[in-house]
Amino acid sequence: MSSQLGQLFRISTWGESHGGGVGVVIDGCPPLIDLAEADIQRDLDRRRPGQSEITTPRHEADAARILSGVFEGKTLGTPIAISVMNQDARPEAYREMETAFRPSHADYTTQAKFGIRNWQGGGRASARETIGRVAAGAVAKRVLASLAPGLEIVAYVKAIHTLEAAVDPATVTAEQVESNIVRCPDAEVAERMIEHIKRLRTEGDSAGGVIECVVRGVPPGLGEPVFDKLEADLAKAMLSLPATKGFEIGSGFAGARLTGAQHNDPFVIREGRVRTATNHSGGVQGGMSNGEDIFFRVAFKPTPTITRPQATVTVTGEETQLAARGRHDPCVVPRAVPIVEAMAALVLCDHALRQRGQCGRI
Amino acid sequence: MSSQLGQLFRISTWGESHGGGVGVVIDGCPPLIDLAEADIQRDLDRRRPGQSEITTPRHEADAARILSGVFEGKTLGTPIAISVMNQDARPEAYREMETAFRPSHADYTTQAKFGIRNWQGGGRASARETIGRVAAGAVAKRVLASLAPGLEIVAYVKAIHTLEAAVDPATVTAEQVESNIVRCPDAEVAERMIEHIKRLRTEGDSAGGVIECVVRGVPPGLGEPVFDKLEADLAKAMLSLPATKGFEIGSGFAGARLTGAQHNDPFVIREGRVRTATNHSGGVQGGMSNGEDIFFRVAFKPTPTITRPQATVTVTGEETQLAARGRHDPCVVPRAVPIVEAMAALVLCDHALRQRGQCGRI
Amino acid sequence: MSSQLGQLFRISTWGESHGGGVGVVIDGCPPLIDLAEADIQRDLDRRRPGQSEITTPRHEADAARILSGVFEGKTLGTPIAISVMNQDARPEAYREMETAFRPSHADYTTQAKFGIRNWQGGGRASARETIGRVAAGAVAKRVLASLAPGLEIVAYVKAIHTLEAAVDPATVTAEQVESNIVRCPDAEVAERMIEHIKRLRTEGDSAGGVIECVVRGVPPGLGEPVFDKLEADLAKAMLSLPATKGFEIGSGFAGARLTGAQHNDPFVIREGRVRTATNHSGGVQGGMSNGEDIFFRVAFKPTPTITRPQATVTVTGEETQLAARGRHDPCVVPRAVPIVEAMAALVLCDHALRQRGQCGRI
Amino acid sequence: MSSQLGQLFRISTWGESHGGGVGVVIDGCPPLIDLAEADIQRDLDRRRPGQSEITTPRHEADAARILSGVFEGKTLGTPIAISVMNQDARPEAYREMETAFRPSHADYTTQAKFGIRNWQGGGRASARETIGRVAAGAVAKRVLASLAPGLEIVAYVKAIHTLEAAVDPATVTAEQVESNIVRCPDAEVAERMIEHIKRLRTEGDSAGGVIECVVRGVPPGLGEPVFDKLEADLAKAMLSLPATKGFEIGSGFAGARLTGAQHNDPFVIREGRVRTATNHSGGVQGGMSNGEDIFFRVAFKPTPTITRPQATVTVTGEETQLAARGRHDPCVVPRAVPIVEAMAALVLCDHALRQRGQCGRI
């Protein structure tokens, strides 16, 4: 379904950027998991607008409220509904969008699909829709902490525009990521990224970038052998995020330029366990985790909302020009870091429960 | 579910490489579509082993039989079961795999997940599983020909190892693709690719590569705004193929290195229709098709089966060496071309039916 | 999934009787359907507690709020979230339930399944969960009015305890149903039912009953030939309602006592259309609607909450006695009439969209 | 989907009565379950035509072949494909059906839905479709034997036409059921049933009846609190069988005629476990099993195929007469006994795996 993800840990998000609010319903959460609103708020705060000088100035507290499914601090096993009310919506800033399609946004395709759209903001294509994902991802992390203790998900900015950071996925920490506002653990490059984003904003332009994510401590055997391969579900989850254009796992596109002898990961025994000597596979073989670190990269296009005038057309088919006036991010990548982590948590949590259902253990 | 794909046009594949056979059941196919076994066989013949000197010598006719769902040359609207019996299985060639895990194959992860595996071949991870996908994809193409006349899917080899072809997605034809055994429409590079693959095989090594796919004539509005974005479902479909490591649509990873002013696709009116002046979006905006060409690339790792000896471990945890003896492809990419087309057809057919269900038109 | 129903028109309900509120998210609703909160409120008012002297005195306005998916009075094709906040919850009335299981309620089984339960009311088993169903059913009715004009759903009380009404499904009207508080269109029997319910309440006892539902004007061909037969999905929808014990369609259990020659419905031509001379089939043959009236009956057990003391056990395994103090209905059947209609609307709406998706017409 | 059932243990059946064959694919079966073709054949033999003098004389061996998913006698956790080829199809006997619709069959509704039908037999509405269900049910029983040892499913003929048997669900055995060809454990009534069926056949008529099914040894907590209540999924499974008109669990329709004080099942402690003193609930409360015997009844209409001439219409809208010539059962109820058991096993197996997935135990 359009607005649902997951088989056993299934989320349904709802809400438009400029309707009453946004939210999520989580169906299938295991019972007896410790869960507080603060667990959710922590990740929402990393996602929310207005958090730093390189994000949109739209001010939203994004305060999450748990409406059901939790009793005396523990999950009941019943649907967990979480909602966040919109506060700082300014639909008047979108008045021009009633008639003109913003280039490289979803305005035209939404109109083409449904024959109607809420032009007061981005509708379902708005980044606000991801609030429900981040909230659900926070719950998924709590479940994973119970199912697979030691599992750890860390995402970070790997590149902004042409600036690329040097990061070791095996050792990078969440603290390093959160140590600067661009969420790049390479401190030196991070500073240049911040300056670069500010300059592009001044020029009425915007930047894209790449997020890398590593998952450590994954038990072997998660993922399914055919369509629901772990990398397939991760790819879908990431490409379902606004503004994404690519996904690669392990060696990725560079791996296509190696030979088999170079690329294969020899098996070895280390501390009594089956391990691989290298990790071109990125922690997944044949769609199932092999116990090594899972790491992947996601490409984000530059924010399409820019203040420079752009050529476009109107709903009635006339050519016109449009320059953004609504508040927006010159680069969505830093705020997308917790979103990528949330999507990874959702996929892994779902597969952990599926594994337990079919095979009786994780 | 592990072995199912699609919401309305749903396929279920079954079979192992060395069991009795492989097949697929298609549920939800529209009625009254013209369908013959020859429609299916045509694509299976492009996928089958032994078709040329750069593929595995395993000889399989891969003759498809339609067991249900078709009556007097037309689909009934009921499940279409298609099966292909295995003929040239040689389980004895896999005897060493009973005890040793092949590096970068699914042997170890299958054992870790299920606690059992059919070691007489690759089991579900075998390329033979894709027979069901190609057969179902051929049916999907017939349905699309009825739902969206003019829609055309062309995939081709864009790169093998470090050799890259120059191809214009806007004009490339299926005939050009099929004009050589490596399925690369750049004739000059194709020859070098063929030689290169042969040399790597002689060296006991293997190669990966990149497939590019273009879909022309897509009606605007296919795809869903949130999780089931068209690019998300395409990414999942492609990453569910054996040996894939990456997916990118439109500008892809390179797009992350552009600015918004460079990347945005201005809307224009052409022949009375809303079009874009450029196509960095790759035919999809906000998860929905915009009527422009959809094009994407898929990275394939080098075949892990190589004849050089490799380090690995046994089921009982001892280190050992393994050199492939089973027949295999030194490069799976040319045979994967019809498979990529099939997956694209399956995704588009499902979304076309979903669009008709929800919105009453395509 | 536990809290979801439907394939294309899919609803997810959430909320406990004594949490913050209850609600529903509808995914897959067609766009451009006229929808106002008043459309929903009308049916909620027929369901709400405190509406008459034979229902629970719990006072809930049950005011529905549409949070997303509607813009300027029309559906957007995006998820429609509807919530109703709880107002008159009195958890202290349920204090004894913290330790004792109410007989024939879900208290014990919830504890056995999840190892935890919200004892401050019935949790998910509460009749308040059906608010989301009724709200979603009101939306489904609007969609059906657009997809199948002339389709009409009328449910009514057929029996209370041993009192049975004489009603002609072919001609009964909604006005007749709503003309008395027990929702029985047989005015004379209705009066006796009302008196009987009052007397049972005075005696600290309760009653069950039977609801009959007729759907007129159904286009032929809705429903699927195998598992998702129309009667199968109706049966599931009805048996998913609290307190239901049975479902029968057309001739039902009485039909099992006829011979084929008596039971078969001969086909005839009437006004140029294929019709049946009799309707033992209840409007469905082979799982698909045949254009005749669909009619079915649902059995409701007597309300398990009674004020007489009953034997039961505590969470810690001691035998004890329990007498209800919470407010409750002496007979849920009159309030269940709009719920049965809602469930029928949800099933038919889903099947209408599925039919349009697969076959291109309804 | 039309031809799929189950969430985690999901079956897809395929095949028409007069196509090449019928079969089923089971997705999600746990690994390491002992499974042989003989396990499946045992139940198929109880279902197959020609097994006794009161069934159709159509002769089909219905020999099941496992095509995938099993290795060295154990399930692999991968899809299990099972097929049965048709042998004794006589399409010429159905020639009249090319133009005339058989009364109370699926001929007309299939044509109305799809605009096409395979008139050489009953197509998907044929009882042969249930072969896949019985085969999958046999696998489900093996899984249940592993997940819930002691769980036992026994179905039997409770009534044929107006003849009703006296059977105690608490003690009835499979041996008693199989001790006569009508599968009624009340030996005296069984004999009269057999004579009655023979007489009706001689008269060119047919009979319906009621099957009762008991499941003993069910662990508490199976089933979901809202839409996927155990009784809801059982009702759907049973009403998805050809010729069924009703379902009731526990007290059923008779329960609607009791008061709460009469109907409630008091909790007691017996042998240290929470039990109920009576079992009007039929082993399910609030949609979840409570550990008591689950028992339910299914109503079957009389076979619509009778040799007496009946009024009907042709595809082109002319009134005509039709008398069955194809081989058929004068009463399907005895052969439906193993089918009802299979459907119960499928539902319980699916819910057991779902319970293990969400709650980590069964």
Side-chain angles (χ1 to χ4, degrees):
Chain A
M1 298 295 290
S2 164
S3 291
Q4 304 199 333
L5 189 79
Q7 297 281 331
L8 290 196
F9 190 89
R10 181 176 290 175
I11 69 167
S12 307
T13 69
W14 56 267
E16 282 92 41
S17 63
H18 286 67
V22 294
V24 66
V25 179
I26 304 166
D27 199 11
C29 184
L32 296 166
I33 305 289
D34 292 318
L35 183 67
E37 283 177 353
D39 296 317
I40 294 163
Q41 199 60 50
R42 202 173 304 122
D43 278 343
L44 285 182
D45 287 347
R46 296 171 68 210
R47 194 218 73 92
R48 80 177 172 78
Q51 65 181 262
S52 80
E53 50 184 328
I54 56 169
T55 67
T56 167
R58 177 171 174 172
H59 186 72
E60 294 282 357
D62 285 352
R65 192 171 157 216
I66 298 176
L67 299 173
S68 68
V70 178
F71 182 63
E72 298 181 340
K74 288 187 189 300
T75 59
L76 286 164
T78 60
I80 301 172
I82 304 170
S83 73
V84 165
M85 291 298 111
N86 294 331
Q87 295 180 314
D88 189 20
R90 299 189 193 162
E92 70 283 3
Y94 291 84
R95 173 59 61 182
E96 279 164 327
M97 289 163 52
E98 186 177 359
T99 51
F101 298 127
R102 290 171 300 165
S104 290
H105 269 279
D107 300 347
Y108 167 63
T109 52
T110 301
Q111 188 76 37
K113 182 179 192 69
F114 294 119
I116 183 176
R117 74 198 153 95
N118 179 344
W119 50 263
Q120 299 176 335
R124 288 295 281 163
S126 162
R128 286 196 75 66
E129 183 273 334
T130 61
I131 288 176
R133 307 182 186 221
V134 170
V139 179
K141 287 179 186 175
R142 301 293 306 158
V143 177
L144 285 169
S146 156
L147 297 180
L151 187 148
E152 191 184 16
I153 302 171
V154 182
Y156 46 89
V157 170
K158 175 72 178 168
I160 295 288
H161 199 191
T162 55
L163 297 167
E164 187 157 345
V167 186
D168 179 3
T171 58
V172 63
T173 67
E175 290 67 34
Q176 290 166 355
V177 176
E178 294 301 313
S179 68
N180 58 61
I181 59 176
V182 78
R183 293 201 171 89
C184 174
D186 179 335
E188 189 267 326
V189 174
E191 255 182 72
R192 287 159 54 203
M193 287 172 168
I194 292 167
E195 289 316 303
H196 190 59
I197 291 170
K198 288 182 186 170
R199 184 167 58 250
L200 283 168
R201 177 161 55 186
T202 313
E203 295 168 359
D205 210 343
S206 65
V210 174
I211 290 178
E212 191 163 74
C213 182
V214 61
V215 191
R216 296 187 286 249
V218 185
L222 299 194
E224 300 281 345
V226 184
F227 296 114
D228 296 352
K229 288 184 164 74
L230 201 54
E231 62 267 45
D233 279 350
L234 285 169
K236 167 161 180 156
M238 299 307 153
L239 266 293
S240 80
L241 292 174
T244 53
K245 301 303 288 181
F247 170 91
E248 56 179 9
I249 188 164
S251 62
F253 278 88
R257 300 170 69 92
L258 299 178
T259 70
Q262 293 164 334
H263 192 273
N264 280 355
D265 295 319
F267 284 113
V268 294
I269 300 292
R270 211 150 62 216
E271 295 166 14
R273 283 180 48 210
V274 175
R275 303 292 303 274
T276 62
T278 53
N279 189 12
H280 294 104
S281 300
V284 181
Q285 291 176 329
M288 296 162 278
S289 59
N290 66 356
E292 304 299 321
D293 289 354
I294 294 175
F295 62 94
F296 57 87
R297 280 166 298 282
V298 187
F300 288 79
K301 71 173 183 179
T303 314
T305 306
I306 54 177
T307 51
R308 290 193 201 175
Q310 302 176 83
T312 189
V313 301
T314 65
V315 175
T316 50
E318 284 141 52
E319 304 202 336
T320 184
Q321 284 229 328
L322 195 66
R325 294 189 300 131
R327 296 153 299 171
H328 62 275
D329 289 88
C331 180
V332 297
V333 188
R335 284 178 59 202
V337 166
I339 308 176
V340 165
E341 288 178 6
M343 298 310 292
L346 290 167
V347 169
L348 288 162
C349 182
D350 189 41
H351 274 285
L353 294 177
R354 293 171 68 174
Q355 172 70 359
R356 184 163 75 175
Q358 190 185 9
C359 299
R361 62 188 160 72
I362 297 170
Chain B
M1 298 296 292
S2 164
S3 291
Q4 303 200 333
L5 189 78
Q7 297 280 331
L8 290 197
F9 191 89
R10 182 176 289 175
I11 69 168
S12 307
T13 69
W14 56 268
E16 283 93 40
S17 62
H18 286 68
V22 293
V24 66
V25 179
I26 303 166
D27 198 10
C29 184
L32 295 166
I33 305 288
D34 292 317
L35 183 67
E37 283 177 353
D39 295 317
I40 294 163
Q41 199 60 49
R42 202 174 303 121
D43 278 343
L44 285 182
D45 287 347
R46 295 171 68 209
R47 194 218 72 93
R48 79 177 172 79
Q51 65 181 264
S52 81
E53 50 183 329
I54 57 169
T55 67
T56 167
R58 177 170 174 171
H59 186 72
E60 293 281 358
D62 284 352
R65 193 171 157 216
I66 298 176
L67 298 174
S68 67
V70 178
F71 182 62
E72 298 181 342
K74 288 188 188 300
T75 58
L76 286 165
T78 59
I80 301 172
I82 304 170
S83 73
V84 165
M85 291 298 111
N86 294 330
Q87 296 179 312
D88 189 21
R90 300 188 192 162
E92 69 283 2
Y94 290 84
R95 173 59 63 181
E96 279 164 328
M97 289 164 53
E98 186 176 0
T99 51
F101 299 127
R102 290 171 299 164
S104 290
H105 270 278
D107 300 348
Y108 167 63
T109 51
T110 301
Q111 187 77 37
K113 182 179 192 70
F114 294 118
I116 184 176
R117 73 198 154 94
N118 179 345
W119 49 263
Q120 298 176 336
R124 289 293 282 163
S126 162
R128 286 195 75 66
E129 183 274 333
T130 62
I131 287 175
R133 305 181 188 222
V134 170
V139 179
K141 287 178 186 175
R142 300 293 307 156
V143 177
L144 284 169
S146 155
L147 297 179
L151 187 148
E152 190 184 18
I153 302 170
V154 182
Y156 47 89
V157 170
K158 174 72 179 168
I160 295 289
H161 198 190
T162 55
L163 298 168
E164 188 157 344
V167 186
D168 179 4
T171 58
V172 64
T173 66
E175 291 66 35
Q176 291 166 354
V177 176
E178 294 302 314
S179 68
N180 58 62
I181 59 176
V182 78
R183 292 202 172 87
C184 173
D186 179 336
E188 188 266 327
V189 175
E191 255 182 70
R192 288 159 54 203
M193 287 172 169
I194 294 167
E195 289 316 304
H196 190 59
I197 291 170
K198 288 182 187 171
R199 184 167 58 249
L200 283 169
R201 178 162 54 186
T202 314
E203 296 168 358
D205 211 342
S206 65
V210 174
I211 289 179
E212 191 164 74
C213 181
V214 61
V215 191
R216 296 187 286 248
V218 185
L222 299 192
E224 300 282 343
V226 184
F227 296 115
D228 296 352
K229 287 185 163 75
L230 201 54
E231 63 267 46
D233 279 351
L234 286 168
K236 167 160 179 156
M238 300 306 153
L239 266 293
S240 80
L241 291 175
T244 52
K245 301 305 288 182
F247 170 90
E248 56 179 10
I249 189 163
S251 62
F253 278 89
R257 301 170 69 92
L258 299 178
T259 71
Q262 293 164 335
H263 191 274
N264 280 355
D265 295 320
F267 284 112
V268 295
I269 300 292
R270 214 151 59 216
E271 294 167 15
R273 283 179 49 210
V274 176
R275 302 291 304 274
T276 62
T278 54
N279 190 11
H280 293 105
S281 300
V284 180
Q285 291 177 328
M288 296 163 279
S289 59
N290 66 357
E292 305 299 320
D293 290 354
I294 293 175
F295 62 93
F296 58 85
R297 281 166 299 280
V298 187
F300 288 79
K301 70 173 184 179
T303 315
T305 307
I306 55 177
T307 51
R308 291 194 201 174
Q310 301 175 83
T312 190
V313 301
T314 65
V315 175
T316 50
E318 285 140 51
E319 303 201 338
T320 183
Q321 284 229 329
L322 195 65
R325 295 188 300 130
R327 297 153 297 172
H328 62 274
D329 289 270
C331 180
V332 297
V333 188
R335 285 178 58 204
V337 165
I339 307 176
V340 165
E341 288 179 6
M343 298 310 291
L346 290 167
V347 169
L348 287 162
C349 181
D350 189 40
H351 274 284
L353 294 176
R354 291 172 69 174
Q355 172 70 359
R356 185 163 74 175
Q358 190 185 9
C359 299
R361 61 186 161 73
I362 297 170
Chain C
M1 298 295 291
S2 163
S3 290
Q4 302 200 333
L5 189 78
Q7 297 279 333
L8 291 197
F9 191 89
R10 181 176 290 176
I11 69 168
S12 306
T13 69
W14 57 268
E16 282 92 39
S17 63
H18 286 67
V22 294
V24 67
V25 179
I26 304 166
D27 199 9
C29 184
L32 295 166
I33 305 289
D34 292 317
L35 183 67
E37 283 178 353
D39 295 318
I40 294 163
Q41 198 60 49
R42 201 173 303 122
D43 278 344
L44 286 182
D45 286 348
R46 295 171 67 209
R47 194 218 73 93
R48 80 176 172 79
Q51 66 183 262
S52 81
E53 52 183 327
I54 57 169
T55 67
T56 167
R58 176 170 174 172
H59 186 71
E60 294 281 357
D62 285 351
R65 194 172 155 215
I66 298 176
L67 299 173
S68 68
V70 178
F71 183 61
E72 299 181 340
K74 288 188 187 301
T75 58
L76 286 165
T78 60
I80 301 172
I82 303 169
S83 73
V84 166
M85 291 299 110
N86 294 331
Q87 296 180 312
D88 189 22
R90 300 187 192 164
E92 70 283 1
Y94 290 84
R95 173 59 60 181
E96 279 163 327
M97 288 163 54
E98 186 176 0
T99 49
F101 298 127
R102 290 172 299 166
S104 290
H105 271 277
D107 301 347
Y108 167 63
T109 52
T110 301
Q111 187 77 37
K113 181 179 193 67
F114 295 119
I116 184 175
R117 74 198 152 94
N118 179 344
W119 50 263
Q120 298 175 336
R124 288 293 281 164
S126 162
R128 286 196 75 66
E129 183 274 333
T130 61
I131 287 176
R133 307 180 186 223
V134 171
V139 179
K141 287 180 186 174
R142 299 293 305 158
V143 177
L144 284 169
S146 155
L147 297 180
L151 187 148
E152 189 184 19
I153 302 171
V154 182
Y156 47 88
V157 170
K158 175 72 178 168
I160 295 287
H161 198 188
T162 54
L163 297 168
E164 187 157 346
V167 186
D168 179 3
T171 59
V172 63
T173 67
E175 291 65 36
Q176 290 166 353
V177 176
E178 295 301 315
S179 68
N180 59 61
I181 59 175
V182 78
R183 292 201 171 87
C184 173
D186 179 335
E188 188 267 326
V189 175
E191 254 181 74
R192 287 159 53 203
M193 287 173 169
I194 293 167
E195 289 317 303
H196 191 57
I197 291 170
K198 289 181 185 171
R199 183 167 59 249
L200 282 169
R201 177 162 56 186
T202 313
E203 295 168 0
D205 211 342
S206 65
V210 174
I211 291 179
E212 191 164 73
C213 182
V214 61
V215 191
R216 296 187 285 248
V218 185
L222 299 192
E224 301 281 345
V226 184
F227 296 115
D228 296 352
K229 286 184 166 74
L230 201 54
E231 62 268 45
D233 279 351
L234 286 168
K236 167 159 179 157
M238 300 306 154
L239 266 293
S240 79
L241 292 174
T244 52
K245 302 304 287 181
F247 169 91
E248 57 178 8
I249 188 162
S251 62
F253 279 88
R257 300 171 68 92
L258 299 178
T259 70
Q262 294 164 332
H263 192 274
N264 281 355
D265 295 319
F267 284 113
V268 294
I269 300 291
R270 212 150 60 217
E271 294 165 16
R273 284 180 47 212
V274 176
R275 302 291 304 275
T276 62
T278 53
N279 189 12
H280 293 104
S281 300
V284 181
Q285 291 176 329
M288 295 162 280
S289 60
N290 66 357
E292 303 300 320
D293 290 353
I294 294 176
F295 62 94
F296 58 87
R297 280 166 300 280
V298 186
F300 288 80
K301 71 175 185 178
T303 313
T305 307
I306 56 177
T307 51
R308 290 194 201 175
Q310 302 175 85
T312 190
V313 301
T314 65
V315 175
T316 50
E318 285 139 52
E319 305 201 335
T320 183
Q321 284 230 327
L322 195 66
R325 294 189 299 131
R327 297 153 298 172
H328 62 273
D329 289 88
C331 180
V332 298
V333 188
R335 284 179 59 204
V337 165
I339 307 177
V340 164
E341 289 178 6
M343 297 311 292
L346 289 167
V347 168
L348 287 162
C349 181
D350 189 41
H351 274 285
L353 294 177
R354 292 172 68 173
Q355 172 70 359
R356 185 164 74 174
Q358 189 185 10
C359 299
R361 60 186 163 73
I362 297 169
Chain D
M1 299 296 290
S2 164
S3 291
Q4 303 199 333
L5 189 78
Q7 297 280 333
L8 291 196
F9 191 88
R10 182 176 290 175
I11 70 168
S12 306
T13 69
W14 57 267
E16 281 92 40
S17 63
H18 286 67
V22 295
V24 68
V25 179
I26 304 165
D27 198 10
C29 184
L32 296 166
I33 304 290
D34 292 318
L35 183 66
E37 283 178 353
D39 295 318
I40 295 163
Q41 199 60 50
R42 201 173 304 121
D43 277 344
L44 285 182
D45 286 347
R46 296 171 68 210
R47 195 218 72 93
R48 80 176 173 79
Q51 65 183 262
S52 81
E53 52 182 327
I54 57 170
T55 67
T56 166
R58 175 170 175 173
H59 186 71
E60 294 281 357
D62 285 351
R65 192 171 158 217
I66 298 176
L67 299 173
S68 68
V70 178
F71 183 62
E72 298 182 341
K74 287 188 189 300
T75 58
L76 286 165
T78 60
I80 301 171
I82 304 169
S83 73
V84 165
M85 291 298 110
N86 294 331
Q87 295 179 314
D88 188 22
R90 301 189 192 162
E92 70 283 2
Y94 290 84
R95 173 60 61 182
E96 279 164 327
M97 288 162 54
E98 186 175 0
T99 50
F101 298 126
R102 290 171 299 165
S104 290
H105 271 277
D107 300 348
Y108 167 63
T109 52
T110 301
Q111 187 76 39
K113 182 179 192 67
F114 295 118
I116 184 176
R117 74 198 152 94
N118 179 344
W119 49 263
Q120 298 175 336
R124 288 293 281 164
S126 162
R128 288 197 73 66
E129 183 274 333
T130 61
I131 287 175
R133 306 181 187 223
V134 171
V139 179
K141 287 178 186 174
R142 300 294 305 159
V143 177
L144 284 168
S146 156
L147 297 179
L151 187 149
E152 190 184 19
I153 302 171
V154 182
Y156 46 88
V157 170
K158 175 73 179 168
I160 295 287
H161 198 187
T162 55
L163 297 168
E164 188 157 346
V167 185
D168 180 3
T171 58
V172 63
T173 66
E175 291 65 37
Q176 290 166 354
V177 176
E178 294 301 314
S179 69
N180 59 63
I181 58 175
V182 78
R183 293 201 170 88
C184 173
D186 179 335
E188 188 267 327
V189 175
E191 254 182 73
R192 287 159 52 203
M193 288 172 170
I194 293 166
E195 289 317 303
H196 190 57
I197 290 170
K198 289 182 187 170
R199 183 166 58 249
L200 283 169
R201 177 161 56 186
T202 314
E203 295 168 0
D205 211 341
S206 65
V210 174
I211 290 179
E212 191 164 72
C213 182
V214 61
V215 191
R216 296 187 286 247
V218 185
L222 299 193
E224 300 281 346
V226 184
F227 296 115
D228 296 352
K229 286 185 165 74
L230 201 54
E231 62 267 44
D233 279 350
L234 286 168
K236 167 160 179 157
M238 299 307 153
L239 267 293
S240 79
L241 291 174
T244 53
K245 302 305 287 181
F247 170 91
E248 57 179 9
I249 188 162
S251 62
F253 278 89
R257 300 171 70 92
L258 299 178
T259 71
Q262 294 164 335
H263 192 272
N264 280 355
D265 295 319
F267 284 113
V268 294
I269 301 291
R270 213 151 59 216
E271 294 166 15
R273 284 180 47 210
V274 175
R275 302 291 305 274
T276 63
T278 53
N279 189 12
H280 294 104
S281 299
V284 181
Q285 291 176 329
M288 296 163 279
S289 60
N290 66 357
E292 303 299 321
D293 290 354
I294 293 175
F295 63 93
F296 58 86
R297 281 166 298 280
V298 186
F300 288 79
K301 71 173 184 180
T303 314
T305 307
I306 55 177
T307 51
R308 291 194 200 174
Q310 302 174 83
T312 190
V313 301
T314 65
V315 176
T316 49
E318 283 140 53
E319 305 203 335
T320 183
Q321 284 229 329
L322 195 65
R325 296 188 298 129
R327 298 153 298 171
H328 63 274
D329 289 89
C331 180
V332 297
V333 188
R335 283 179 59 203
V337 165
I339 307 177
V340 164
E341 289 179 6
M343 298 310 292
L346 290 167
V347 168
L348 287 162
C349 182
D350 189 40
H351 275 284
L353 294 177
R354 293 172 67 173
Q355 172 70 359
R356 185 163 74 173
Q358 188 184 10
C359 299
R361 61 187 162 72
I362 297 169

